[in-house]
């Protein structure tokens, strides 16, 4: 028997001391990467998870994308091609006025004018005019077009089949209504930003109708405005003509009364319709103002003369004769001064120059005296003229007072004549303007660009339909993936087991195809064998004294790999020199004897029911081809397995076996639905739960764990089986869990155990075998997920 000290040496690599599992597993709640809380990590958004989902559901996404593309093509084929033509119309806002005394504000900058034109273009009256101009109510292909969206369009577009509707089935009024509604439904009018242009667009299945209707809408709008303007001008002209006749009669009558009164009162009217006295007074006032100004100017000059400043007067300075005398006098004076330094004043030449200077000075004084006398005479004449004009103006003012007394009634009659004449002139001017505008027919809009015949349809657009369909189907695939993940309550990674069940993860067992399972178990260098050895090492550190002396291996549901785990763990512990007994306690559906290649005629059930002879007691414990490994099969299947396992004899057997062997591994039935596993868990020192990937539900695993703990079981941890480590997302998250790690330095096991002599050359290639294995793994994972969802 292997004692505890030897087990310590097996469990701990140094100093003969057992290493507690708490050093590696800090409880179920705190087991997380160093320095980072696991719960917080889950709550944060991880963009790589989206990539993992894309890779995981890549075939679903590809199929949905392909379906979206097909749907986009089908929808496009079901739509009828439509053509669109556009006409550019410029709205001209006139600045004409109806009456000169009424201020009209220009509408060129008023958006309401363009909005009004836009609504008129979309009016039913204009649509009726377009239908009449183009004769659309008599054209069947316009009245009864092909459906815009219909499955039959696929055949129409593929084979050119079209329906020929008949217009005789409808009355003229119904056809006109249908045509008008079609024009209004397919017509759109938009204002081009920051311009005075309106964009008129019409869409139709026939490209000719699209361009014709767009152009006709613009032309009908212009014609409609011209008709309205012409009709308004005719009405205005008739009204003004009547007013002109009435005002003309009033003007003639008022003028006759004015002339008759002026003749009787002796009032003389000038050409400007002023009285003669008033004209004379106005003339005298003007002349008097001029005379006063002349008298003031002359008075200022006389004042200068009296002050002895005659030489500085303007007329003196401007006189050409005096200027010449002054120049000669200046020259002689200069000569005299120059010669005075040489000659004496009594010298004849000097006396001659002095005589010339005196003569010129006399002539200059006489000239100045003559000018001053003329200025004094002018001043006197200005005074006399001013006095005469004042006298005459006083006389005329006296006559004006007398005239004003007679002019009161004349002013009233004249004011009436002026008013009638002003009205008559305005009406005549307006009559001329209305006549000219009526003849010119000024347009209020102009066509900038005519619609051309479209050469290709604007709808449907295959690229847009494909993009929309692809986006919708990708969104649908995202929803399906979300629902699948929401409904998929199985375990897909080890963190979920640790978080949901609170169990330490002792081992991760990779998924192997069923056809390669036996070969992988048999090969000690395979990835699966290495994973089981890692699980063995974790079990050695699961307790304070190393691995438990008795280990119960169970699972929540059948087919999770518990029997294979018991089988492989027994071999791995035996490889360390421990004597191992594997007990098949599944008395309902035993499987362990098949793995060892033994019969199951006698076993545990016979031992519990005392149906075995004493001489055959030793033969129940069967040695295997594996050293240090002994097997106790289940034996005959009893009708009451739970009663046998809960009997005191079962506890006694487990206790005695624990003394004889270093390790007892009990392969128990599934937990859910049965009471066998909870009963056996009380007898074992430790219990290992095997949880399969994407198979057992979380609720089922929680229920199973709850039953074990309620029974008093010591659950040391869990092993995750059938883990697809070759998936892209798992390889990224669990880099340490891949075949390259487990098989490092050893040739990889592929397929069944054979030499490959009967396989083709390409099948012997490691790359080809790796590809086959990945394809099988992907297909197997998809099937397992489908089963778990169902």
């Amino acid at each position: 028997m292997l004692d505890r000290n030897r087990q310590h040496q097996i469990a701990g690599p140094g100093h003969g001391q057992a290493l507690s599992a708490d050093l590696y597993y800090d409880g179920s709640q705190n087991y997380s990467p160093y320095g980072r809380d696991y719960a917080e990590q889950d709550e944060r958004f991880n963009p790589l998870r989206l990539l993992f989902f894309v890779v995981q559901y890549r075939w679903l996404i590809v199929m949905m994308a392909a379906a979206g593309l097909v749907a986009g093509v089908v929808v496009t084929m079901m739509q009828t091609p439509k053509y669109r033509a556009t006409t550019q119309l410029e709205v001209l806002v006139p600045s004409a006025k109806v009456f000169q005394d009424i201020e009209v504000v220009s509408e060129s900058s008023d958006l309401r004018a363009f909005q009004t034109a836009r609504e008129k273009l979309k009016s039913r009256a204009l649509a009726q005019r377009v239908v009449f101009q183009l004769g659309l109510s008599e054209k069947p292909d316009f009245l009864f077009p092909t459906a815009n969206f219909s499955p039959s369009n696929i055949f129409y577009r593929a084979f050119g089949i079209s329906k020929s509707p008949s217009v005789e089935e409808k009355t003229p009024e119904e056809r006109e209504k249908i045509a008008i509604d079609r024009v209004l439904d397919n017509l759109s009018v938009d204002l081009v930003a920051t311009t005075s242009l309106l964009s008129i667009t019409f869409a139709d299945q026939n490209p000719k109708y699209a361009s014709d209707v767009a152009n006709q809408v613009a032309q009908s709008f212009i014609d409609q405005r011209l008709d309205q303007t012409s009709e308004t001008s005719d009405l205005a002209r008739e009204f003004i003509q009547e007013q002109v006749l009435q005002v003309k009669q009033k003007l003639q009558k008022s003028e006759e009364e004015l002339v008759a009164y002026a003749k009787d009162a002796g009032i003389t009217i000038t050409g400007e319709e002023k009285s003669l006295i008033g004209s004379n007074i106005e003339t005298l006032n003007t002349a008097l103002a001029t005379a006063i100004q002349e008298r003031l100017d002359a008075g200022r000059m006389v004042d200068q003369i009296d002050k002895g400043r005659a030489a500085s007067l303007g007329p003196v300075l401007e006189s050409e004769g005096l200027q010449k005398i002054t120049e000669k006098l200046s020259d002689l004076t200069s000569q005299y001064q120059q010669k005075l330094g040489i000659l004496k004043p009594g010298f004849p030449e000097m006396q001659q120059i002095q005589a010339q200077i005196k003569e010129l000075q006399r002539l200059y004084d006489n000239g100045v005296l003559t000018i001053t006398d003329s200025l004094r005479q002018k001043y006197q004449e200005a005074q006399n003229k001013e006095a005469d004009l004042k006298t005459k103006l006083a006389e005329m003012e006296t006559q004006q007072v007398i005239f004003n007394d007679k002019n009161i009634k004349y002013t009233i009659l004249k004011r009436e004549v002026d008013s009638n004449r002003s009205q008559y002139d305005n009406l005549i001017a307006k009559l001329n303007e209305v006549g000219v505008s009526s003849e010119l027919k000024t347009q209020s809009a102009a066509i900038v660009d005519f619609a051309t015949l479209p050469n290709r349809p604007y709808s449907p657009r295959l690229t847009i339909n494909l993009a929309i369909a692809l986006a919708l189907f990708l969104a649908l695939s995202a929803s399906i993936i979300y629902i699948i993940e929401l409904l998929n309550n199985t375990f897909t990674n080890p963190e979920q087991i640790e978080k949901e069940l609170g169990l330490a993860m002792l081992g991760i067992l990779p998924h192997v195809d069923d056809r390669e399972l036996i070969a992988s178990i048999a090969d000690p260098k395979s990835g699966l064998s290495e994973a089981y050895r890692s699980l063995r090492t974790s079990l050695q550190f699961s307790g304070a004294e190393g691995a438990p002396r008795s280990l119960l291996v169970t699972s929540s549901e059948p087919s999770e790999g518990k029997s294979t785990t018991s089988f492989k763990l027994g071999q791995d512990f035996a490889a360390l020199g421990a004597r191992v007994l594997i007990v098949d306690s599944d008395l309902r559906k035993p499987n362990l004897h098949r793995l060892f290649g033994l019969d199951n005629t006698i076993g545990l059930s016979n031992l519990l029911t005392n149906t075995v002879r004493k001489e055959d007691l030793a033969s129940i414990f069967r040695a295997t081809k594996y050293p240090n490994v002994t097997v106790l099969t289940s034996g005959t299947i009893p009708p009451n397995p739970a009663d046998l396992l809960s009997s005191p004899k079962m506890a006694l057997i487990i206790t005695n076996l624990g003394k004889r062997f270093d390790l007892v591994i009990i392969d128990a039935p599934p937990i859910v639905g049965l009471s066998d596993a909870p009963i056996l868990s009380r007898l074992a020192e430790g219990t290992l739960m095997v949880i399969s990937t994407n198979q057992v539900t979380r609720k089922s695993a929680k229920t199973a764990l709850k039953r074990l703990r309620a029974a008093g079981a010591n659950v040391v941890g869990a092993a995750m089986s059938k883990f697809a480590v070759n998936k892209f997302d798992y390889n990224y998250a669990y880099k340490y869990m891949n075949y390259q790690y487990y098989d490092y330095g050893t040739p990889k096991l592929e397929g069944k155990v054979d030499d490959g002599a009967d396989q083709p050359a390409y099948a012997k290639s490691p790359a080809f075998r790796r590809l086959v294995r990945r394809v099988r793994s992907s297909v197997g994972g998809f099937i397992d997920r489908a089963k778990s969802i169902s």
Side-chain angles (χ1 to χ4, degrees):
M1 181 180 293
L2 185 66
D3 58 9
R4 283 297 180 182
N5 291 331
R6 188 173 181 181
Q7 288 187 3
H8 293 167
Q9 294 174 1
I10 297 173
H15 307 298
Q17 221 174 11
L19 301 180
S20 174
D22 295 340
L23 296 176
Y24 294 87
Y25 303 101
D26 188 16
S28 60
Q29 301 299 328
N30 299 322
Y31 181 73
S32 60
Y34 177 75
R36 181 171 55 179
D37 184 69
Y38 181 79
E40 293 180 358
Q41 181 184 3
D42 282 349
E43 292 176 357
R44 288 196 296 266
F45 173 73
N46 186 4
L48 287 178
R49 290 183 63 85
L50 298 179
L51 179 61
F52 296 157
F53 283 127
V54 171
V55 175
Q56 182 179 358
Y57 295 96
R58 55 189 178 276
W59 295 115
L60 173 63
I61 295 175
V62 169
M63 288 188 294
M64 294 298 291
L69 295 178
V70 173
V73 174
V74 172
V75 170
T76 303
M77 295 296 294
M78 294 173 64
Q79 291 180 281
T80 303
K82 297 187 71 175
Y83 298 83
R84 181 169 56 190
T86 302
T87 301
Q88 295 282 350
L89 181 69
E90 181 181 6
V91 178
L92 306 175
V93 181
S95 58
K97 301 177 182 180
V98 178
F99 299 102
Q100 289 183 351
D101 55 346
I102 299 179
E103 181 180 2
V104 177
V105 179
S106 176
E107 295 182 356
S108 60
S109 60
D110 192 353
L111 186 60
R112 292 177 298 176
F114 303 109
Q115 294 292 346
T116 301
R118 178 176 178 271
E119 294 302 322
K120 285 185 177 180
L121 284 167
K122 297 171 64 177
S123 64
R124 193 172 188 83
L126 187 64
Q128 185 178 12
R129 189 166 187 152
V130 172
V131 170
F132 176 77
Q133 292 290 338
L134 297 179
L136 299 178
S137 60
E138 303 299 330
K139 297 180 179 180
D141 54 343
F142 182 82
L143 294 175
F144 309 107
T146 306
N148 292 330
F149 185 83
S150 175
S152 59
N153 288 339
I154 299 178
F155 300 98
Y156 294 161
R157 297 180 65 179
F159 304 104
I161 303 175
S162 60
K163 182 182 179 181
S164 300
S166 176
V167 297
E168 286 76 11
E169 299 176 359
K170 302 289 184 179
T171 62
E173 291 78 11
E174 293 176 342
R175 294 199 299 269
E176 181 180 7
K177 183 178 182 301
I178 294 174
I180 293 173
D181 292 337
R182 285 218 61 217
V183 170
L184 294 177
D185 293 340
N186 296 279
L187 179 67
S188 61
V189 182
D190 298 311
L191 175 64
V192 181
T194 67
T195 66
S196 59
L197 300 178
L198 290 175
S199 179
I200 303 172
T201 303
F202 187 78
D204 195 82
Q205 300 173 6
N206 190 326
K208 191 174 187 312
Y209 285 150
S211 59
D212 290 347
V213 172
N215 291 329
Q216 187 59 47
V217 168
Q219 188 61 46
S220 297
F221 175 76
I222 295 174
D223 296 341
Q224 186 182 53
R225 294 290 295 267
L226 289 177
D227 294 344
Q228 293 175 353
T229 304
S230 177
E231 183 179 357
T232 303
S233 299
D234 294 339
L235 295 175
R237 184 171 59 253
E238 293 177 1
F239 173 75
I240 294 175
Q241 285 176 348
E242 295 177 359
Q243 296 296 317
V244 166
L245 293 177
Q246 296 178 7
V247 174
K248 183 179 180 180
Q249 294 175 0
K250 292 172 62 177
L251 177 59
Q252 291 177 353
K253 183 179 179 181
S254 59
E255 287 179 344
E256 290 175 356
E257 293 178 353
L258 178 63
V259 172
Y261 177 77
K263 183 177 180 180
D264 294 341
I267 299 175
T268 303
I269 304 299
T270 62
E272 291 88 9
E273 298 183 357
K274 296 180 180 179
S275 67
L276 185 58
I277 298 174
S279 299
N280 292 336
I281 292 175
E282 184 177 351
T283 303
L284 288 174
N285 282 327
T286 303
L288 179 59
T290 303
I292 292 173
Q293 185 63 39
E294 291 176 355
R295 189 259 304 170
L296 292 175
D297 295 340
R300 282 193 293 270
M301 290 185 180
V302 171
D303 186 57
Q304 294 292 328
I305 294 171
D306 293 340
K307 292 180 180 181
R309 301 175 182 173
S312 62
L313 295 176
V316 175
L317 297 176
E318 295 173 357
S319 174
E320 294 181 0
L322 294 178
Q323 289 179 1
K324 292 179 180 180
I325 293 172
T326 303
E327 293 175 359
K328 291 180 180 181
L329 183 61
S330 178
D331 292 339
L332 289 174
T333 303
S334 177
Q335 293 177 10
Y336 180 81
Q337 293 294 331
Q338 290 177 0
K339 293 180 179 181
L340 186 61
I342 302 173
L343 302 177
K344 294 182 179 182
F347 195 76
E349 185 178 355
M350 298 295 288
Q351 291 179 356
Q352 185 180 358
I353 292 175
Q354 288 180 357
Q356 291 178 0
I357 291 174
K358 290 180 181 181
E359 182 62 21
L360 290 174
Q361 186 64 43
R362 186 185 63 81
L363 292 176
Y364 179 80
D365 293 340
N366 291 336
V368 172
L369 182 60
T370 302
I371 291 174
T372 55
D373 290 342
S374 66
L375 292 176
R376 290 180 183 277
Q377 182 64 30
K378 186 177 180 180
Y379 175 68
Q380 185 63 39
E381 291 176 357
Q383 287 180 334
N384 295 335
K385 183 179 179 180
E386 181 182 357
D388 292 341
L389 289 174
K390 288 182 178 180
T391 304
K392 187 63 175 176
L393 182 59
E395 294 177 358
M396 295 303 296
E397 289 177 349
T398 303
Q399 294 179 8
Q400 181 67 28
V401 172
I402 299 173
F403 174 78
N404 288 337
D405 293 338
K406 299 179 180 179
N407 197 39
I408 295 176
K409 185 176 180 181
Y410 178 83
T411 303
I412 296 173
L413 295 175
K414 186 176 180 299
R415 187 181 299 115
E416 184 176 357
V417 170
D418 294 340
S419 176
N420 292 334
R421 183 176 288 109
S422 177
Q423 293 182 18
Y424 181 76
D425 293 341
N426 290 336
L427 290 174
I428 290 296
K430 282 295 141 189
L431 183 61
N432 294 332
E433 291 179 4
V434 171
V436 172
S437 63
S438 177
E439 293 176 359
L440 292 178
K441 294 183 180 292
T442 304
Q443 295 184 355
S444 60
I447 298 177
V448 177
D449 284 330
F450 285 93
T452 59
L453 191 69
N455 54 6
R456 58 182 179 181
Y458 81 96
S459 174
R461 298 181 63 179
L462 181 60
T463 55
I464 295 179
N465 288 344
L466 290 178
I468 295 175
L470 186 61
L472 291 177
F473 275 78
L474 289 180
L476 180 60
S477 64
S479 302
I480 294 175
I481 293 173
Y482 177 76
I483 294 175
I484 291 176
E485 289 295 324
L486 194 64
L487 297 179
N488 182 18
N489 57 351
T490 59
F491 296 98
T492 58
N493 57 70
E495 280 83 354
Q496 292 176 345
I497 296 177
E498 295 171 348
K499 182 178 179 181
E500 298 289 339
L501 302 182
L503 294 178
M505 182 54 57
L506 302 181
I508 300 176
L509 309 176
H511 175 73
V512 179
D513 188 79
D514 293 340
R515 291 170 291 185
E516 302 176 0
L517 180 60
I518 297 176
S520 297
I521 294 176
D523 184 8
K525 298 181 180 180
S526 66
L528 184 61
S529 297
E530 186 63 35
Y532 275 113
R533 284 194 290 271
S534 177
L535 175 60
R536 177 197 65 186
T537 303
S538 299
L539 287 172
Q540 289 178 289
F541 292 100
S542 62
E545 298 181 356
R549 294 291 297 271
S550 58
L551 177 66
L552 178 73
V553 180
T554 184
S555 62
S556 303
E557 298 176 357
S559 302
E560 293 193 58
K562 55 182 180 55
S563 298
T564 304
T565 300
S566 302
F567 171 75
K568 191 61 178 173
L569 283 177
Q571 298 178 29
D572 292 338
F573 275 102
L576 297 178
R579 292 179 299 168
V580 180
L581 173 65
I582 303 177
V583 179
D584 190 352
S585 62
D586 190 350
L587 303 182
R588 302 174 186 270
K589 191 177 179 182
N591 187 46
L592 202 60
H593 64 281
R594 295 188 181 93
L595 296 177
F596 284 98
L598 303 173
D599 62 85
N600 194 26
T601 56
I602 188 172
L604 178 61
S605 62
N606 303 98
L607 187 61
L608 293 174
T609 56
N610 296 323
T611 58
V612 60
R613 295 175 300 177
K614 291 183 179 180
E615 57 270 18
D616 296 333
L617 188 62
S619 62
I620 294 180
F621 301 93
R622 304 182 185 184
T624 64
K625 61 181 180 179
Y626 304 102
N628 297 328
V629 178
T630 305
V631 177
L632 176 59
T633 61
S634 63
T636 306
I637 299 177
N640 54 345
D643 296 339
L644 295 179
L645 296 176
S646 60
S647 63
K649 192 172 184 178
M650 181 63 187
L652 182 61
I653 292 174
I654 296 298
T655 302
N656 293 332
L657 292 177
K659 297 177 181 179
R660 293 179 55 189
F661 294 91
D662 297 330
L663 176 63
V664 177
I665 299 177
I666 304 173
D667 182 19
I671 303 171
V672 177
L674 303 175
S675 60
D676 301 3
I679 293 172
L680 293 172
S681 65
R682 293 182 299 178
L683 307 178
E685 291 185 8
T687 300
L688 174 67
M689 280 193 67
V690 178
I691 301 174
S692 60
T693 306
N694 293 326
Q695 178 176 342
V696 62
T697 62
R698 301 179 191 181
K699 184 177 181 181
S700 177
K702 287 182 180 180
T703 302
L705 181 61
K706 185 177 180 181
R707 292 189 61 190
L708 289 178
R709 287 176 174 171
N714 177 28
V715 183
V716 296
M720 192 170 192
S721 63
K722 302 180 182 180
F723 188 75
V725 297
N726 59 334
K727 287 189 177 181
F728 173 80
D729 49 350
Y730 295 155
N731 273 331
Y732 183 86
Y734 308 102
K735 295 179 182 178
Y736 56 89
M737 279 297 298
N738 52 50
Y739 285 104
Q740 287 76 12
Y741 176 83
Y742 287 131
D743 299 342
Y744 179 75
T746 61
K748 181 177 289 189
L749 180 64
E750 299 287 346
K752 298 180 180 180
V753 181
D754 55 19
D755 57 357
D758 57 344
Q759 295 181 359
Y762 64 85
K764 299 178 183 180
S765 171
F768 177 77
R769 293 180 178 181
R770 189 181 303 110
L771 177 63
V772 171
R773 181 175 56 80
R774 288 182 178 273
V775 172
R776 289 177 177 177
S777 178
S778 299
V779 175
F782 177 78
I783 295 175
D784 292 341
R785 182 170 292 275
K787 290 180 179 179
S788 63
I789 295 173
S790 61

